[in-house]
């Protein structure tokens, strides 16, 4: 019998020959030794553990532990370690996007990632614009989840993203546009949500004072929303 040459074929052949007990032991040992594998496992099979309670705090702690592992003694993450950290976070997001992952787990992980980005900006060399890419990926994942959520959960998610968008730090870091894209789309057929978005932009405009760039930028966003909703 010819042995498979592709990696997938080799893996399939090995799995076919392993006993259930051997597989269980391998997964257990791998999860204990490899933190990235453990985090992925906990997301992929979270439905075996989860309740209906929010689990965002769990993911916030998971991300905090990941950030700590990749930081140096001074708590800073240099460019090589930054790439490894971002790869690990993207692996979590990829696992969260699988159809088998509970939607609550996916949305709460995404919210945890979003809220972690501003703090991470002060601790990481981001010359490669990792934070911007992570924000885009995370918001895309939330958008994918939105349509399958019950109406109450959709409203909760809209309010939460509006709350995050209201924090000036996202604009300071050029991370606000992905959040606004979600709000713009989710409010397209809902006048109440449109009003909430416009009021929030109005509040942000009041804080610009003599910052003409910020004022013009927010006015452009406002006009962009109005034009999109009228189309």
């Amino acid at each position: 019998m010819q042995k498979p040459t592709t990696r997938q074929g080799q893996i399939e052949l090995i799995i076919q020959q392993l006993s259930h007990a051997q597989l269980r032991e391998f997964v257990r040992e791998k999860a204990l030794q490899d933190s990235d594998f453990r985090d992925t496992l906990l997301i992929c099979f979270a439905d075996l553990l989860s309740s209906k309670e929010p689990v965002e705090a769990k993911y916030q702690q998971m991300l905090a532990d990941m950030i700590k592992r990749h930081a140096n003694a001074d708590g800073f993450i240099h460019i090589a370690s930054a790439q490894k950290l971002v790869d690990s976070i993207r692996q979590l997001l990829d696992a969260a996007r699988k159809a088998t992952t509970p939607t609550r787990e996916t949305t709460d992980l995404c919210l945890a990632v979003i809220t972690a980005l501003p703090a991470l900006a002060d601790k990481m060399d981001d010359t490669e614009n990792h934070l911007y890419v992570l924000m885009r990926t995370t918001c895309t994942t939330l958008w994918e989840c939105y349509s399958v959520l019950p109406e109450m959960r959709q409203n909760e998610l809209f309010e939460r993203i509006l709350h995050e968008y209201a924090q000036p730090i996202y604009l300071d870091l050029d991370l606000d546009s992905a959040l606004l894209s979600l709000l713009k789309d989710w409010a397209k057929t809902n006048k109440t949500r449109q009003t909430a978005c416009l009021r929030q932009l109005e509040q942000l405009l009041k804080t610009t004072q003599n910052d003409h760039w910020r004022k013009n930028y927010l006015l452009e966003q406002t006009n962009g929303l109005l034009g999109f909703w009228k189309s």
Side-chain angles (χ1 to χ4, degrees):
M1 178 180 175
Q2 186 176 1
K3 299 292 185 181
T5 56
T6 65
R7 182 161 297 183
Q8 181 177 350
Q10 292 170 345
I11 291 173
E12 290 293 339
L13 182 60
I14 290 173
I15 289 176
Q16 290 170 14
Q17 298 178 75
L18 289 176
S19 68
H20 183 66
Q22 287 175 311
L23 279 172
R24 284 172 61 96
E25 186 61 25
F26 172 80
V27 172
R28 181 184 296 110
E29 290 299 319
K30 180 70 172 175
L32 291 174
Q33 296 171 7
D34 186 331
S35 55
D36 287 342
F37 178 82
R38 179 175 64 248
D39 293 343
T40 301
L41 180 75
L42 289 172
I43 291 175
C44 285
F45 300 101
D47 56 331
L48 301 177
L49 301 172
S50 64
S51 64
K52 294 184 179 180
E53 295 300 316
V55 290
E56 183 183 342
K58 175 185 74 174
Y59 289 125
Q60 288 173 340
Q61 185 59 55
M62 182 183 290
L63 290 166
D65 292 341
M66 290 172 63
I67 292 168
K68 186 175 181 180
R69 288 198 301 268
H70 288 85
N72 63 15
D74 296 324
F76 190 76
I77 304 171
H78 290 286
I79 190 165
S81 296
Q83 182 64 62
K84 293 177 181 177
L85 170 62
V86 170
D87 287 345
S88 295
I89 295 175
R90 295 192 72 167
Q91 286 178 12
L92 294 183
L93 290 169
D94 286 343
R97 295 173 84 168
K98 293 182 182 298
T100 52
T101 303
T103 307
R104 165 65 80 173
E105 299 285 335
T106 304
T107 56
D108 281 6
L109 170 65
C110 288
L111 291 172
V113 172
I114 289 172
T115 56
L117 295 182
L120 186 56
D122 291 332
K123 303 176 181 177
M124 187 177 82
D125 182 333
D126 192 30
T127 53
E128 301 295 326
N129 292 320
H130 291 308
L131 297 181
Y132 181 83
V133 174
L134 277 177
M135 177 62 92
R136 283 287 173 187
T137 302
T138 304
C139 287
T140 298
T141 305
L142 281 178
W143 184 86
E144 292 170 348
C145 291
Y146 180 81
S147 62
V148 300
L149 293 173
E151 183 178 358
M152 181 178 294
R153 180 62 178 147
Q154 286 182 346
N155 290 332
E156 290 174 354
L157 193 56
F158 174 84
E159 293 293 338
R160 177 60 186 279
I161 295 301
L162 183 61
H163 170 77
E164 293 303 324
Y165 173 75
Q167 311 307 310
I169 186 63
Y170 293 104
L171 175 55
D172 295 339
L173 296 172
D174 193 26
L175 299 177
D176 61 303
S177 59
L179 297 173
L180 188 62
S181 292
L182 290 180
L183 297 172
K184 179 173 69 173
D185 190 58
W186 294 345
K188 187 174 176 71
T189 59
N190 188 308
K191 295 294 185 182
T192 301
R193 291 182 181 178
Q194 290 176 15
T195 300
C197 289
L198 293 174
R199 284 178 176 170
Q200 186 55 70
L201 277 161
E202 183 181 10
Q203 290 300 314
L204 289 171
L205 277 165
K206 290 179 179 179
T207 67
T208 58
Q209 298 177 349
N210 295 324
D211 189 335
H212 299 296
W213 177 89
R214 185 181 291 262
K215 181 178 181 179
N216 289 334
Y217 178 78
L218 291 171
L219 286 172
E220 287 178 5
Q221 287 189 323
T222 302
N223 291 331
L225 288 179
L226 292 171
F228 179 78
W229 291 333
K230 288 179 180 179
S231 62

